[in-house]
Amino acid sequence: MRLKGIGRSRNVEDRRRAGGRGTRGGGKAGLGGVGLLVVLAIGYFAGIDVTPLLQGGQGPATQSSAPRQLSVGEERAAEFSSQVLATTEAVWGKVFPEQLGGAYRPPVMVLYSGVTQSLCGGASGATGPFYCPADRKAYLDTEFFDTLARQLGAKGDFAAAYVIAHEVAHHVQNELGILPEVNRRRQAVGQAEANALTVRLELQADCLSGVWARAVDGLLEPGDLKEALNAARMIGDDHLQKRAGQVPQPHTFTHGTSAQRAKWFKRGYDSGDLARCDTFGAARL
């Protein structure tokens, strides 16, 4: 992705200098090797805080209060994230008035290291990137990019950009009133039905990410679109459950299958039209 000349967003809150990476209470680690990778994969993309599994029965994660210097790699990750966020602001700042007749209010992106707090609760590297509608902020531990490439098999800068665009897409859903309505409906139904609603919400966010990708097409390099589609496939519920050694169980899915995620991202990319992202009105996903 060609980001040279793209300015940084001003809507970034960098908390990484406030303290060191999270530390754990006493006890012995309970996972390693492949087991650790599987747990991380499930946690990042199933919306589950797997911190207790990573700790092996240890105490809760805590943030060091000592200030620290950021590495060159961390500085680069921040610049990249801020530039990608700036492209989402430009895209949705144009799409909202053109397709919806309204103004777009961008979110704040919080960069953190290890653990942090949001109005939606505590966050750690184990929870992965997420959007909190209560404070209108997207949270990202920048070490996630390394996990995405090395452990989940989704390599490339545009795969990382897709992840940021996906969290911003949840903010778009919040701005449109979709996110609060779905949350209300989820509280009124059983677990399987709630999961099904969540799948439609996530696939819609994938479609909205595709709308963003089409709008920044001039910044794409050869292979970028393939990177995003591969990332969508690598984080499908069926793929992650198979990696965990399980038979995929559709009633437990919360993000959709690999094929569904790639399909809806491509639908948004091919059309550039918000109306084409109506997963809730779709008879088949």
Side-chain angles (χ1 to χ4, degrees), residues 42-48 92 127-133 144 162-174 178-180 182-183 185-186 193-211 228 231-233 235-238 240 252-268 276-282 285:
I42 294 173
Y44 275 128
F45 295 107
I48 301 171
W92 294 116
T127 60
F130 72 97
Y131 173 72
C132 176
F144 169 75
Y162 153 75
V163 170
I164 294 173
H166 181 91
E167 298 310 321
V168 171
H170 283 311
H171 174 71
V172 170
Q173 291 172 316
N174 195 36
I178 297 171
L179 192 55
V182 171
N183 285 335
R185 291 170 59 186
R186 284 191 297 198
E193 293 174 275
N195 288 346
L197 286 170
T198 304
V199 167
R200 290 181 183 270
L201 190 72
E202 292 295 333
L203 292 179
Q204 184 179 63
D206 283 328
C207 185
L208 295 174
S209 301
V211 172
R233 295 187 184 100
I235 57 182
D237 285 319
D238 55 338
L240 292 177
T252 67
F253 290 175
T254 56
H255 285 65
T257 67
S258 295
Q260 288 171 333
R261 300 202 73 167
K263 169 188 172 180
W264 282 94
F265 176 87
K266 193 169 187 301
R267 176 176 293 199
R276 295 282 291 160
C277 294
D278 183 12
T279 54
F280 295 94
L285 296 175

Side-chain angles (χ1 to χ4, degrees), residues 54-66:
L54 297 176
Q55 294 170 337
Q58 302 173 52
T62 58
Q63 183 83 15
S64 169
S65 60

Side-chain angles (χ1 to χ4, degrees), residues 71-216:
S71 68
V72 173
E74 288 175 311
E75 293 284 15
R76 288 175 180 168
E79 180 180 19
F80 171 81
S81 301
S82 181
Q83 289 176 303
V84 172
L85 183 63
T87 68
T88 68
E89 293 165 351
V91 169
W92 294 116
K94 182 178 180 181
V95 169
F96 264 54
E98 288 183 350
Q99 296 190 26
L100 299 170
Y104 174 66
R105 299 180 300 166
V108 169
M109 181 169 63
V110 177
L111 303 180
Y112 70 95
S113 181
V115 292
T116 194
Q117 290 292 321
S118 77
L119 289 184
C120 295
S124 74
T127 60
F130 72 97
Y131 173 72
C132 176
D135 57 19
R136 296 166 44 84
K137 295 180 179 181
Y139 290 79
L140 173 68
D141 183 333
T142 51
E143 282 203 1
F144 169 75
F145 295 141
D146 185 63
T147 298
L148 185 70
R150 294 174 180 257
Q151 300 177 2
L152 298 180
K155 300 179 180 180
D157 59 352
F158 200 65
Y162 153 75
V163 170
I164 294 173
H166 181 91
E167 298 310 321
V168 171
H170 283 311
H171 174 71
V172 170
Q173 291 172 316
N174 195 36
E175 287 289 282
L176 296 178
I178 297 171
L179 192 55
E181 174 60 19
V182 171
N183 285 335
R184 184 190 65 78
R185 291 170 59 186
R186 284 191 297 198
Q187 294 173 5
V189 297
Q191 189 62 56
E193 293 174 275
N195 288 346
L197 286 170
T198 304
V199 167
R200 290 181 183 270
L201 190 72
E202 292 295 333
L203 292 179
Q204 184 179 63
D206 283 328
C207 185
L208 295 174
S209 301
V211 172
W212 160 81
R214 180 183 179 89
V216 298

Side-chain angles (χ1 to χ4, degrees), residues 31-46 48 50 53-54 126 147 150-152 234 236-246:
L31 288 172
V34 176
L36 174 61
L37 302 189
V38 170
V39 169
L40 283 172
I42 294 173
Y44 275 128
F45 295 107
I48 301 171
V50 297
L53 295 178
L54 297 176
T147 298
R150 294 174 180 257
Q151 300 177 2
L152 298 180
M234 290 297 100
D237 285 319
D238 55 338
H239 179 73
L240 292 177
Q241 288 187 359
K242 287 177 181 178
R243 283 195 61 173
Q246 302 173 358

